[in-house]
Amino acid sequence: MLSVQLQHDIKKTVTWALCEDLGVDNADALKNSQDITAELIPLENIAVANIITREACIICGVAWVNEVFAQLDAIYKTKTDITWFVNDGESVKANSTLFELSGNARILLTGERCALNFLQSLSGTATLTSRYVKELSGSKTKLLDTRKTVPGLRSAQKYAVKCGGGVNHRIGLFDAFLIKENHIAACGGIEKSIQTARKNHPNKTVEVEVESIAELTQALNAGSDIIMLDNFSHEMIEQAVIATIEISQGKTKLEVSGNMTIETLKSYAKAGVDFISVGALTKNINAIDLSMRFV
């Protein structure tokens, strides 16, 4: 599902980013847009540029960079050659050259910031994810992302999480149930919520968020596929694992969320949960330090 969505979203988000940078409202208007600083350079000038990372990271964003220059080439009738030395998901050292650009000097400079914004932000998410995943090494627990993403970049950031070794939670509000406190209250209880979900969409995964052992028991008895333990103490998590084995024979998966940090991951994994979801992966973005230099 994510791969299909990406095919549409990459083109759309790159167009949006170029429109933003060039001060126009839509793709058609890009044809008449101007990079007034790049126009200082003679139109016929050809240049070669290297893009370098100043810090170690996990790379993500190759397709977005390619799309930036593909769209600019189509608009301005130019040809930019891109030679990549790395792939998405690859670990690179500081001061590594990631790719080389060759083409019209104006186009290289017009596309520089847009392309690097995508690459450094998505690589930042992939890099942070890889650090969290490393902490879970040796356990059965998998790291999940959340819907706490930058507006307009949902699929891109979830792809970045995958590049970093994480696992995608639901993509949005359409592909799985996540029944929370307010849903439960409005629907008339946990059991009623799950029954209605099964009736409305029998093939969708049903997950319920619970805040106590009593609510956990209700969700288990009602047949929830996944139960999210919201802000449970370690003692409560251990009780939840035991209850899940006793009631569902371990068929129901357990997820923990709420104030998860890289320092506490191992302790939660040792308790025996199946998933840990971390909003910080896509919410707290530290962009990777990249730079472009003409050769």
Short mmCIF file of all heavy atoms in Angstrom, two decimals, residues 98-162:
data_model
loop_
_atom_site.label_atom_id
_atom_site.label_comp_id
_atom_site.label_asym_id
_atom_site.label_seq_id
_atom_site.Cartn_x
_atom_site.Cartn_y
_atom_site.Cartn_z
N LEU A 98 27.57 11.85 -1.69
CA LEU A 98 26.35 11.06 -1.90
C LEU A 98 25.99 10.94 -3.37
O LEU A 98 25.60 9.87 -3.83
CB LEU A 98 25.19 11.70 -1.13
CG LEU A 98 25.42 11.93 0.36
CD1 LEU A 98 24.19 12.56 0.99
CD2 LEU A 98 25.78 10.62 1.06
N PHE A 99 26.09 12.05 -4.10
CA PHE A 99 25.81 11.99 -5.54
C PHE A 99 26.44 13.19 -6.23
O PHE A 99 26.87 14.16 -5.59
CB PHE A 99 24.30 11.93 -5.82
CG PHE A 99 23.49 13.12 -5.37
CD1 PHE A 99 23.13 14.13 -6.25
CD2 PHE A 99 23.05 13.22 -4.05
CE1 PHE A 99 22.36 15.21 -5.84
CE2 PHE A 99 22.28 14.30 -3.64
CZ PHE A 99 21.93 15.30 -4.53
N GLU A 100 26.48 13.09 -7.54
CA GLU A 100 27.05 14.15 -8.37
C GLU A 100 25.99 14.65 -9.34
O GLU A 100 25.24 13.85 -9.92
CB GLU A 100 28.26 13.64 -9.15
CG GLU A 100 28.91 14.68 -10.06
CD GLU A 100 30.03 14.09 -10.89
OE1 GLU A 100 29.72 13.57 -12.00
OE2 GLU A 100 31.20 14.14 -10.44
N LEU A 101 25.93 15.96 -9.53
CA LEU A 101 25.02 16.58 -10.49
C LEU A 101 25.83 17.19 -11.62
O LEU A 101 26.89 17.79 -11.38
CB LEU A 101 24.21 17.69 -9.83
CG LEU A 101 23.18 17.30 -8.78
CD1 LEU A 101 22.67 18.55 -8.06
CD2 LEU A 101 22.02 16.55 -9.41
N SER A 102 25.33 17.05 -12.84
CA SER A 102 25.97 17.67 -13.99
C SER A 102 24.89 18.23 -14.90
O SER A 102 23.95 17.52 -15.28
CB SER A 102 26.81 16.64 -14.74
OG SER A 102 27.39 17.22 -15.90
N GLY A 103 25.00 19.52 -15.22
CA GLY A 103 23.99 20.12 -16.09
C GLY A 103 24.02 21.62 -16.05
O GLY A 103 25.02 22.23 -15.63
N ASN A 104 22.94 22.23 -16.49
CA ASN A 104 22.84 23.68 -16.51
C ASN A 104 23.02 24.25 -15.11
O ASN A 104 22.35 23.83 -14.16
CB ASN A 104 21.47 24.07 -17.08
CG ASN A 104 21.33 25.56 -17.24
OD1 ASN A 104 21.04 26.26 -16.27
ND2 ASN A 104 21.51 26.05 -18.46
N ALA A 105 23.93 25.20 -14.97
CA ALA A 105 24.27 25.74 -13.65
C ALA A 105 23.06 26.37 -12.97
O ALA A 105 22.88 26.24 -11.75
CB ALA A 105 25.39 26.76 -13.78
N ARG A 106 22.22 27.05 -13.74
CA ARG A 106 21.03 27.65 -13.16
C ARG A 106 20.11 26.60 -12.54
O ARG A 106 19.59 26.79 -11.43
CB ARG A 106 20.25 28.43 -14.23
CG ARG A 106 20.89 29.71 -14.70
CD ARG A 106 19.92 30.45 -15.63
NE ARG A 106 20.49 31.70 -16.12
CZ ARG A 106 19.81 32.57 -16.87
NH1 ARG A 106 18.55 32.31 -17.20
NH2 ARG A 106 20.38 33.69 -17.29
N ILE A 107 19.92 25.50 -13.25
CA ILE A 107 19.01 24.44 -12.77
C ILE A 107 19.57 23.78 -11.52
O ILE A 107 18.82 23.47 -10.58
CB ILE A 107 18.76 23.40 -13.88
CG1 ILE A 107 18.08 24.06 -15.08
CG2 ILE A 107 17.94 22.23 -13.36
CD1 ILE A 107 16.77 24.73 -14.75
N LEU A 108 20.88 23.56 -11.49
CA LEU A 108 21.48 22.93 -10.31
C LEU A 108 21.24 23.78 -9.07
O LEU A 108 20.91 23.26 -7.99
CB LEU A 108 22.99 22.72 -10.50
CG LEU A 108 23.45 21.86 -11.68
CD1 LEU A 108 24.93 21.51 -11.50
CD2 LEU A 108 22.63 20.60 -11.84
N LEU A 109 21.36 25.08 -9.23
CA LEU A 109 21.18 25.98 -8.08
C LEU A 109 19.71 26.19 -7.73
O LEU A 109 19.36 26.30 -6.55
CB LEU A 109 21.85 27.32 -8.39
CG LEU A 109 23.39 27.26 -8.41
CD1 LEU A 109 23.97 28.52 -9.02
CD2 LEU A 109 23.93 27.04 -7.02
N THR A 110 18.86 26.21 -8.73
CA THR A 110 17.43 26.34 -8.46
C THR A 110 16.89 25.14 -7.71
O THR A 110 16.07 25.27 -6.80
CB THR A 110 16.65 26.53 -9.78
OG1 THR A 110 17.07 27.74 -10.42
CG2 THR A 110 15.14 26.58 -9.53
N GLY A 111 17.37 23.95 -8.06
CA GLY A 111 16.88 22.72 -7.43
C GLY A 111 17.58 22.34 -6.15
O GLY A 111 17.09 21.46 -5.41
N GLU A 112 18.71 22.98 -5.87
CA GLU A 112 19.54 22.57 -4.73
C GLU A 112 18.78 22.49 -3.41
O GLU A 112 18.73 21.44 -2.76
CB GLU A 112 20.71 23.55 -4.57
CG GLU A 112 21.54 23.30 -3.32
CD GLU A 112 22.56 24.40 -3.06
OE1 GLU A 112 22.56 25.40 -3.82
OE2 GLU A 112 23.33 24.27 -2.09
N ARG A 113 18.18 23.58 -2.97
CA ARG A 113 17.56 23.60 -1.64
C ARG A 113 16.36 22.68 -1.56
O ARG A 113 16.17 21.98 -0.57
CB ARG A 113 17.17 25.03 -1.28
CG ARG A 113 16.49 25.21 0.07
CD ARG A 113 17.13 24.40 1.19
NE ARG A 113 18.56 24.57 1.26
CZ ARG A 113 19.39 23.68 1.80
NH1 ARG A 113 18.92 22.54 2.30
NH2 ARG A 113 20.69 23.90 1.83
N CYS A 114 15.55 22.67 -2.61
CA CYS A 114 14.38 21.80 -2.62
C CYS A 114 14.79 20.33 -2.50
O CYS A 114 14.25 19.59 -1.68
CB CYS A 114 13.59 22.03 -3.91
SG CYS A 114 12.04 21.11 -3.99
N ALA A 115 15.78 19.94 -3.30
CA ALA A 115 16.25 18.55 -3.28
C ALA A 115 16.86 18.18 -1.94
O ALA A 115 16.58 17.11 -1.37
CB ALA A 115 17.25 18.32 -4.40
N LEU A 116 17.70 19.07 -1.41
CA LEU A 116 18.37 18.76 -0.15
C LEU A 116 17.42 18.79 1.04
O LEU A 116 17.62 18.06 2.01
CB LEU A 116 19.53 19.73 0.08
CG LEU A 116 20.70 19.66 -0.91
CD1 LEU A 116 21.89 20.44 -0.39
CD2 LEU A 116 21.10 18.22 -1.22
N ASN A 117 16.38 19.62 0.97
CA ASN A 117 15.38 19.61 2.05
C ASN A 117 14.76 18.23 2.20
O ASN A 117 14.58 17.72 3.32
CB ASN A 117 14.29 20.64 1.78
CG ASN A 117 14.69 22.05 2.16
OD1 ASN A 117 15.70 22.25 2.84
ND2 ASN A 117 13.93 23.03 1.72
N PHE A 118 14.38 17.65 1.09
CA PHE A 118 13.81 16.29 1.14
C PHE A 118 14.84 15.29 1.64
O PHE A 118 14.58 14.50 2.56
CB PHE A 118 13.32 15.86 -0.25
CG PHE A 118 12.01 16.46 -0.66
CD1 PHE A 118 11.95 17.37 -1.70
CD2 PHE A 118 10.84 16.11 -0.01
CE1 PHE A 118 10.73 17.92 -2.09
CE2 PHE A 118 9.62 16.65 -0.38
CZ PHE A 118 9.57 17.57 -1.43
N LEU A 119 16.04 15.32 1.06
CA LEU A 119 17.06 14.32 1.38
C LEU A 119 17.51 14.40 2.83
O LEU A 119 17.62 13.38 3.52
CB LEU A 119 18.26 14.49 0.44
CG LEU A 119 19.35 13.43 0.54
CD1 LEU A 119 18.81 12.05 0.16
CD2 LEU A 119 20.53 13.79 -0.37
N GLN A 120 17.76 15.61 3.33
CA GLN A 120 18.28 15.72 4.70
C GLN A 120 17.20 15.44 5.75
O GLN A 120 17.49 14.87 6.80
CB GLN A 120 18.92 17.08 4.92
CG GLN A 120 17.99 18.27 4.86
CD GLN A 120 18.74 19.58 4.92
OE1 GLN A 120 18.18 20.64 4.65
NE2 GLN A 120 20.02 19.56 5.28
N SER A 121 15.95 15.79 5.44
CA SER A 121 14.88 15.53 6.41
C SER A 121 14.54 14.05 6.48
O SER A 121 14.40 13.48 7.57
CB SER A 121 13.63 16.33 6.01
OG SER A 121 13.89 17.71 6.07
N LEU A 122 14.39 13.41 5.33
CA LEU A 122 14.06 11.98 5.32
C LEU A 122 15.23 11.14 5.83
O LEU A 122 15.02 10.14 6.53
CB LEU A 122 13.66 11.55 3.91
CG LEU A 122 12.40 12.24 3.35
CD1 LEU A 122 12.09 11.73 1.95
CD2 LEU A 122 11.21 12.03 4.27
N SER A 123 16.44 11.55 5.53
CA SER A 123 17.60 10.84 6.07
C SER A 123 17.68 11.02 7.59
O SER A 123 18.12 10.11 8.31
CB SER A 123 18.89 11.36 5.42
OG SER A 123 18.92 11.05 4.04
N GLY A 124 17.23 12.18 8.07
CA GLY A 124 17.18 12.38 9.52
C GLY A 124 16.24 11.41 10.20
O GLY A 124 16.56 10.83 11.25
N THR A 125 15.06 11.20 9.60
CA THR A 125 14.11 10.23 10.15
C THR A 125 14.66 8.81 10.09
O THR A 125 14.56 8.05 11.05
CB THR A 125 12.77 10.32 9.39
OG1 THR A 125 12.13 11.56 9.69
CG2 THR A 125 11.84 9.18 9.78
N ALA A 126 15.26 8.45 8.96
CA ALA A 126 15.82 7.11 8.80
C ALA A 126 16.96 6.87 9.79
O ALA A 126 17.08 5.78 10.38
CB ALA A 126 16.34 6.92 7.37
N THR A 127 17.76 7.88 10.01
CA THR A 127 18.90 7.75 10.93
C THR A 127 18.44 7.58 12.37
O THR A 127 18.95 6.71 13.11
CB THR A 127 19.82 8.99 10.80
OG1 THR A 127 20.27 9.10 9.45
CG2 THR A 127 21.02 8.87 11.73
N LEU A 128 17.48 8.40 12.79
CA LEU A 128 16.96 8.27 14.15
C LEU A 128 16.29 6.91 14.34
O LEU A 128 16.47 6.26 15.38
CB LEU A 128 15.96 9.39 14.44
CG LEU A 128 15.33 9.39 15.84
CD1 LEU A 128 16.41 9.55 16.91
CD2 LEU A 128 14.30 10.50 15.96
N THR A 129 15.53 6.48 13.35
CA THR A 129 14.87 5.17 13.44
C THR A 129 15.90 4.06 13.63
O THR A 129 15.70 3.16 14.45
CB THR A 129 14.04 4.91 12.17
OG1 THR A 129 13.05 5.93 12.03
CG2 THR A 129 13.36 3.55 12.24
N SER A 130 16.98 4.13 12.88
CA SER A 130 18.00 3.07 12.98
C SER A 130 18.61 3.00 14.38
O SER A 130 18.97 1.92 14.86
CB SER A 130 19.10 3.30 11.94
OG SER A 130 19.91 4.42 12.27
N ARG A 131 18.71 4.15 15.04
CA ARG A 131 19.25 4.16 16.41
C ARG A 131 18.29 3.47 17.37
O ARG A 131 18.70 2.73 18.27
CB ARG A 131 19.52 5.60 16.84
CG ARG A 131 20.65 6.27 16.07
CD ARG A 131 20.74 7.75 16.38
NE ARG A 131 21.77 8.41 15.56
CZ ARG A 131 21.81 9.71 15.32
NH1 ARG A 131 20.89 10.51 15.86
NH2 ARG A 131 22.76 10.22 14.57
N TYR A 132 17.01 3.74 17.21
CA TYR A 132 16.01 3.09 18.05
C TYR A 132 15.98 1.58 17.78
O TYR A 132 15.90 0.77 18.71
CB TYR A 132 14.62 3.69 17.77
CG TYR A 132 14.30 4.93 18.56
CD1 TYR A 132 14.85 6.16 18.22
CD2 TYR A 132 13.43 4.89 19.65
CE1 TYR A 132 14.55 7.32 18.93
CE2 TYR A 132 13.12 6.04 20.37
CZ TYR A 132 13.69 7.24 20.01
OH TYR A 132 13.39 8.38 20.71
N VAL A 133 16.02 1.21 16.51
CA VAL A 133 15.98 -0.21 16.15
C VAL A 133 17.17 -0.96 16.74
O VAL A 133 17.04 -2.11 17.20
CB VAL A 133 15.96 -0.37 14.61
CG1 VAL A 133 16.18 -1.82 14.21
CG2 VAL A 133 14.63 0.13 14.05
N LYS A 134 18.31 -0.32 16.75
CA LYS A 134 19.51 -0.95 17.32
C LYS A 134 19.31 -1.30 18.79
O LYS A 134 19.80 -2.34 19.27
CB LYS A 134 20.71 -0.01 17.14
CG LYS A 134 22.03 -0.61 17.59
CD LYS A 134 23.18 0.35 17.32
CE LYS A 134 24.51 -0.26 17.76
NZ LYS A 134 25.64 0.69 17.51
N GLU A 135 18.60 -0.46 19.52
CA GLU A 135 18.34 -0.71 20.93
C GLU A 135 17.46 -1.94 21.14
O GLU A 135 17.47 -2.54 22.21
CB GLU A 135 17.68 0.51 21.57
CG GLU A 135 18.58 1.73 21.68
CD GLU A 135 19.79 1.47 22.56
OE1 GLU A 135 19.61 0.99 23.68
OE2 GLU A 135 20.91 1.73 22.09
N LEU A 136 16.66 -2.29 20.12
CA LEU A 136 15.76 -3.44 20.24
C LEU A 136 16.37 -4.73 19.69
O LEU A 136 15.71 -5.77 19.68
CB LEU A 136 14.45 -3.14 19.49
CG LEU A 136 13.61 -1.99 20.06
CD1 LEU A 136 12.42 -1.71 19.16
CD2 LEU A 136 13.16 -2.28 21.48
N SER A 137 17.60 -4.66 19.25
CA SER A 137 18.27 -5.83 18.68
C SER A 137 18.29 -6.98 19.68
O SER A 137 18.59 -6.80 20.86
CB SER A 137 19.70 -5.46 18.29
OG SER A 137 20.40 -6.58 17.79
N GLY A 138 17.94 -8.16 19.19
CA GLY A 138 17.93 -9.35 20.05
C GLY A 138 16.61 -9.63 20.72
O GLY A 138 16.44 -10.67 21.36
N SER A 139 15.66 -8.71 20.59
CA SER A 139 14.33 -8.92 21.18
C SER A 139 13.32 -9.19 20.07
O SER A 139 13.59 -8.98 18.89
CB SER A 139 13.91 -7.70 21.99
OG SER A 139 13.56 -6.62 21.13
N LYS A 140 12.12 -9.62 20.45
CA LYS A 140 11.06 -9.84 19.47
C LYS A 140 10.29 -8.55 19.17
O LYS A 140 9.47 -8.51 18.25
CB LYS A 140 10.07 -10.89 19.98
CG LYS A 140 9.15 -10.39 21.10
CD LYS A 140 8.01 -11.37 21.35
CE LYS A 140 6.99 -10.79 22.34
NZ LYS A 140 5.83 -11.66 22.53
N THR A 141 10.57 -7.51 19.92
CA THR A 141 9.81 -6.28 19.82
C THR A 141 10.17 -5.49 18.57
O THR A 141 11.36 -5.30 18.27
CB THR A 141 10.06 -5.39 21.05
OG1 THR A 141 9.81 -6.15 22.23
CG2 THR A 141 9.16 -4.17 21.04
N LYS A 142 9.15 -5.02 17.87
CA LYS A 142 9.36 -4.24 16.65
C LYS A 142 9.01 -2.77 16.91
O LYS A 142 8.11 -2.46 17.67
CB LYS A 142 8.50 -4.79 15.51
CG LYS A 142 8.88 -6.20 15.09
CD LYS A 142 8.02 -6.70 13.95
CE LYS A 142 8.43 -8.10 13.54
NZ LYS A 142 7.57 -8.62 12.43
N LEU A 143 9.74 -1.90 16.23
CA LEU A 143 9.55 -0.46 16.38
C LEU A 143 8.53 0.03 15.34
O LEU A 143 8.70 -0.21 14.14
CB LEU A 143 10.87 0.26 16.17
CG LEU A 143 10.84 1.79 16.30
CD1 LEU A 143 10.61 2.20 17.75
CD2 LEU A 143 12.15 2.39 15.76
N LEU A 144 7.50 0.74 15.81
CA LEU A 144 6.47 1.27 14.94
C LEU A 144 6.52 2.79 14.89
O LEU A 144 6.88 3.44 15.87
CB LEU A 144 5.07 0.87 15.43
CG LEU A 144 4.72 -0.61 15.53
CD1 LEU A 144 3.29 -0.75 16.03
CD2 LEU A 144 4.89 -1.30 14.19
N ASP A 145 6.12 3.35 13.74
CA ASP A 145 5.92 4.79 13.65
C ASP A 145 4.49 5.13 14.04
O ASP A 145 3.73 4.25 14.47
CB ASP A 145 6.25 5.29 12.25
CG ASP A 145 5.48 4.55 11.15
OD1 ASP A 145 4.40 3.99 11.44
OD2 ASP A 145 5.96 4.53 10.01
N THR A 146 4.10 6.39 13.90
CA THR A 146 2.74 6.84 14.24
C THR A 146 2.23 7.76 13.13
O THR A 146 2.89 7.95 12.11
CB THR A 146 2.73 7.61 15.58
OG1 THR A 146 3.34 8.88 15.39
CG2 THR A 146 3.47 6.84 16.67
N ARG A 147 1.07 8.37 13.38
CA ARG A 147 0.52 9.36 12.45
C ARG A 147 0.99 10.78 12.79
O ARG A 147 0.51 11.75 12.19
CB ARG A 147 -1.01 9.32 12.45
CG ARG A 147 -1.60 8.09 11.76
CD ARG A 147 -3.11 7.98 11.97
NE ARG A 147 -3.82 9.21 11.68
CZ ARG A 147 -4.53 9.89 12.58
NH1 ARG A 147 -4.62 9.47 13.84
NH2 ARG A 147 -5.15 11.01 12.25
N LYS A 148 1.93 10.90 13.69
CA LYS A 148 2.47 12.21 14.06
C LYS A 148 3.55 12.62 13.05
O LYS A 148 4.74 12.65 13.37
CB LYS A 148 3.01 12.20 15.48
CG LYS A 148 1.93 11.94 16.53
CD LYS A 148 2.51 11.82 17.92
CE LYS A 148 1.42 11.53 18.95
NZ LYS A 148 1.95 11.35 20.30
N THR A 149 3.11 12.92 11.85
CA THR A 149 4.01 13.22 10.75
C THR A 149 3.85 14.67 10.30
O THR A 149 2.87 15.34 10.63
CB THR A 149 3.73 12.29 9.55
OG1 THR A 149 2.33 12.37 9.22
CG2 THR A 149 4.07 10.86 9.89
N VAL A 150 4.81 15.16 9.53
CA VAL A 150 4.72 16.49 8.96
C VAL A 150 3.59 16.49 7.93
O VAL A 150 3.56 15.63 7.05
CB VAL A 150 6.04 16.89 8.29
CG1 VAL A 150 5.90 18.25 7.59
CG2 VAL A 150 7.18 16.93 9.30
N PRO A 151 2.64 17.41 8.01
CA PRO A 151 1.53 17.44 7.05
C PRO A 151 2.03 17.45 5.60
O PRO A 151 2.92 18.22 5.25
CB PRO A 151 0.80 18.74 7.39
CG PRO A 151 1.08 18.94 8.84
CD PRO A 151 2.49 18.47 9.05
N GLY A 152 1.47 16.55 4.80
CA GLY A 152 1.87 16.45 3.40
C GLY A 152 3.01 15.50 3.15
O GLY A 152 3.31 15.18 1.99
N LEU A 153 3.67 15.03 4.20
CA LEU A 153 4.82 14.13 4.03
C LEU A 153 4.62 12.79 4.71
O LEU A 153 5.58 12.12 5.07
CB LEU A 153 6.09 14.80 4.57
CG LEU A 153 6.61 16.01 3.80
CD1 LEU A 153 7.84 16.59 4.49
CD2 LEU A 153 6.94 15.65 2.35
N ARG A 154 3.37 12.38 4.90
CA ARG A 154 3.07 11.13 5.60
C ARG A 154 3.77 9.93 4.96
O ARG A 154 4.51 9.20 5.62
CB ARG A 154 1.55 10.92 5.62
CG ARG A 154 1.06 9.56 6.17
CD ARG A 154 1.24 9.41 7.66
NE ARG A 154 0.62 10.50 8.39
CZ ARG A 154 -0.69 10.58 8.67
NH1 ARG A 154 -1.52 9.64 8.27
NH2 ARG A 154 -1.15 11.60 9.37
N SER A 155 3.53 9.71 3.68
CA SER A 155 4.09 8.53 3.03
C SER A 155 5.61 8.62 2.96
O SER A 155 6.31 7.61 3.10
CB SER A 155 3.50 8.35 1.62
OG SER A 155 3.79 9.45 0.79
N ALA A 156 6.15 9.82 2.75
CA ALA A 156 7.60 9.99 2.67
C ALA A 156 8.26 9.64 4.00
O ALA A 156 9.27 8.91 4.03
CB ALA A 156 7.92 11.44 2.30
N GLN A 157 7.70 10.11 5.09
CA GLN A 157 8.30 9.84 6.40
C GLN A 157 8.14 8.37 6.80
O GLN A 157 9.03 7.79 7.43
CB GLN A 157 7.69 10.75 7.45
CG GLN A 157 8.17 12.19 7.34
CD GLN A 157 7.79 13.00 8.56
OE1 GLN A 157 6.63 13.34 8.76
NE2 GLN A 157 8.77 13.31 9.39
N LYS A 158 7.03 7.78 6.43
CA LYS A 158 6.85 6.36 6.75
C LYS A 158 7.81 5.50 5.92
O LYS A 158 8.32 4.48 6.40
CB LYS A 158 5.39 5.95 6.54
CG LYS A 158 4.50 6.43 7.68
CD LYS A 158 3.09 5.91 7.58
CE LYS A 158 2.31 6.25 8.85
NZ LYS A 158 2.66 5.42 10.00
N TYR A 159 8.09 5.93 4.70
CA TYR A 159 9.11 5.25 3.90
C TYR A 159 10.48 5.39 4.56
O TYR A 159 11.27 4.44 4.61
CB TYR A 159 9.13 5.83 2.49
CG TYR A 159 10.27 5.34 1.64
CD1 TYR A 159 10.31 4.04 1.16
CD2 TYR A 159 11.33 6.20 1.30
CE1 TYR A 159 11.37 3.58 0.38
CE2 TYR A 159 12.38 5.76 0.53
CZ TYR A 159 12.40 4.45 0.07
OH TYR A 159 13.45 4.00 -0.70
N ALA A 160 10.75 6.58 5.10
CA ALA A 160 12.03 6.81 5.77
C ALA A 160 12.19 5.91 6.99
O ALA A 160 13.28 5.41 7.28
CB ALA A 160 12.14 8.28 6.18
N VAL A 161 11.08 5.70 7.72
CA VAL A 161 11.11 4.79 8.87
C VAL A 161 11.50 3.38 8.42
O VAL A 161 12.31 2.70 9.07
CB VAL A 161 9.75 4.78 9.59
CG1 VAL A 161 9.66 3.62 10.59
CG2 VAL A 161 9.53 6.10 10.33
N LYS A 162 10.96 2.95 7.31
CA LYS A 162 11.30 1.63 6.78
C LYS A 162 12.78 1.56 6.38
O LYS A 162 13.44 0.55 6.60
CB LYS A 162 10.41 1.29 5.58
CG LYS A 162 8.96 1.07 5.92
CD LYS A 162 8.14 0.62 4.72
CE LYS A 162 8.54 -0.78 4.28
NZ LYS A 162 7.65 -1.27 3.19
#
